[in-house]
Amino acid sequence: MAGNARNTAAASAGEQEYLEGVSLWADAWRRLKRNKMAMLGGGVLLLIIIVCILSPWIAPYPYWEIHHADANMPPGAKYWFGSDHLGRDIFSRVLYGGRISLLVGVVATAVSLLIGVTYGALSGYLGGRADNIMMRFVDILYGLPFMFFVIILVVVFGRNILNLFIALGAVQWLTMSRITRGQALSIRAKEYIMAARASGSNTPQILLRHVVPNLLGPIVVYATLTVPAVMLEEAFLSFLGLGVQAPMASWGSLASDGIATIEYYRWQIFFPGLALAVTLFSLNFLGEGLRDAIDPQMKDKG
């Protein structure tokens, strides 16, 4: 009898929870916490961000400070990650470089989301001929080599960090526009959209109040997966000498400097490469975890 009572109480509690309902984000957070790799990635990423933000207080030397007498010193008590060919402390440069790399990833991703979400939501909401024309334009841009386009933008508009942000963001919005457009096509037929139209709301109001808020799930997931892609592109541009300019540094530019001396001073590329790799892995683990947590098709597996 006692066991039956406990089962009945548990069933009643479960039924009560079902009746009350759980919000999308609360349910996603519950399933995300079960994903150990995603939580580990998020924790490591948070630690890296905090360390990079606090780099002015953590770094033992200014990132631009030159010590010719200490050039190419191996890791030790004085220089934890060693020094480069100018005697600059690699540990300090890795900390400051992390700020640039993360900033490039975040700002360029924000630019791509702003363009992609606006374009895709408008295309999907309008539908019909307008949608076909807008998506054919996206298909044409997909046929262009992204990195070549970025290089042209950087060369034409100048090699400064702001132009780098805009150039990288300007070529990353295509996939987001397709994702947003697909979701908007299904949302435009919902009852609350029809009700908004009947109440006299115009297209910008419907997009801002009803369409875009219902796209936050895919947007958040794609953002976490875009940041590492942008960081890799910035690293590639730095290898070509088109990235962050000296004396500033990013992980990509530090790796580019280290590749020239990899045969003799391996630590000069090892530590920037390690920082970049750990950050990219953390972002990918977190992004995949968010995708599985937010995707309604994954609920049964959670």
Side-chain angles (χ1 to χ4, degrees):
M1 295 295 293
N4 292 334
R6 284 194 297 268
N7 292 335
T8 302
S12 300
E15 183 179 356
Q16 180 65 26
E17 181 180 357
Y18 174 79
L19 292 174
E20 292 177 357
V22 180
S23 69
L24 171 65
W25 296 107
D27 186 45
W29 171 244
R30 176 181 59 82
R31 282 182 281 123
L32 180 64
K33 288 191 294 184
R34 295 180 181 177
N35 191 327
K36 295 181 180 180
M37 294 305 298
M39 295 303 293
L40 176 62
V44 172
L45 180 63
L46 180 61
L47 178 61
I48 292 173
I49 293 174
I50 293 175
V51 170
C52 290
I53 292 175
L54 298 178
S55 56
W57 296 274
I58 297 176
Y61 304 96
Y63 69 90
W64 65 85
E65 192 169 271
I66 297 175
H67 308 92
H68 288 293
D70 296 334
N72 298 318
M73 288 190 65
K78 186 174 184 180
Y79 301 108
W80 294 352
F81 289 178
S83 62
D84 63 7
H85 64 288
L86 295 177
R88 294 174 296 191
D89 178 43
I90 294 179
F91 176 69
S92 300
R93 291 179 65 76
V94 167
L95 292 181
Y96 279 93
R99 304 176 84 183
I100 300 298
S101 292
L102 292 171
L103 189 62
V104 167
V106 171
V107 175
T109 298
V111 172
S112 71
L113 291 181
L114 178 63
I115 300 174
V117 171
T118 303
Y119 192 92
L122 182 61
S123 176
Y125 175 74
L126 295 177
R129 186 176 181 182
D131 177 45
N132 288 330
I133 294 174
M134 294 176 73
M135 284 298 105
R136 295 301 76 77
F137 177 69
V138 170
D139 293 338
I140 293 173
L141 293 181
Y142 257 116
L144 301 176
F146 287 176
M147 194 53 62
F148 181 70
F149 186 52
V150 172
I151 292 173
I152 291 177
L153 290 176
V154 172
V155 171
V156 171
F157 294 102
R159 293 188 297 173
N160 63 64
I161 194 167
L162 179 60
N163 289 338
L164 180 64
F165 292 162
I166 297 174
L168 288 173
V171 300
Q172 285 290 337
W173 65 272
L174 300 177
T175 302
M176 187 68 249
S177 68
R178 282 188 167 181
I179 295 173
T180 307
R181 178 250 183 183
Q183 298 290 326
L185 280 174
S186 63
I187 291 175
R188 67 192 293 262
K190 299 294 185 181
E191 291 79 2
Y192 55 85
I193 298 295
M194 298 179 186
R197 290 176 187 157
S199 65
S201 298
N202 55 33
T203 297
Q205 291 174 333
I206 294 175
L207 288 174
L208 291 175
R209 295 178 183 177
H210 303 287
V211 177
V212 174
N214 285 282
L215 300 174
L216 287 180
I219 291 172
V220 170
V221 172
Y222 182 75
T224 59
L225 298 175
T226 302
V227 172
V230 172
M231 291 175 65
L232 278 176
E233 290 178 358
E234 185 277 327
F236 178 74
L237 288 175
S238 295
F239 269 105
L240 299 179
L242 297 173
V244 178
Q245 300 300 302
M248 297 177 66
S250 68
W251 289 333
S253 64
L254 291 175
S256 178
D257 294 340
I259 198 69
T261 58
I262 189 173
E263 185 175 354
Y264 305 103
Y265 313 113
R266 294 180 176 86
W267 61 86
Q268 294 182 4
I269 190 175
F270 173 77
F271 291 108
L274 179 63
L276 180 61
V278 171
T279 303
L280 294 180
F281 274 117
S282 299
L283 282 165
N284 277 304
F285 286 143
L286 179 60
E288 290 178 1
L290 284 171
R291 180 197 62 197
D292 295 343
I294 294 176
D295 188 355
Q297 297 179 356
M298 302 299 295
K299 285 187 177 182
D300 295 336
K301 299 180 182 180

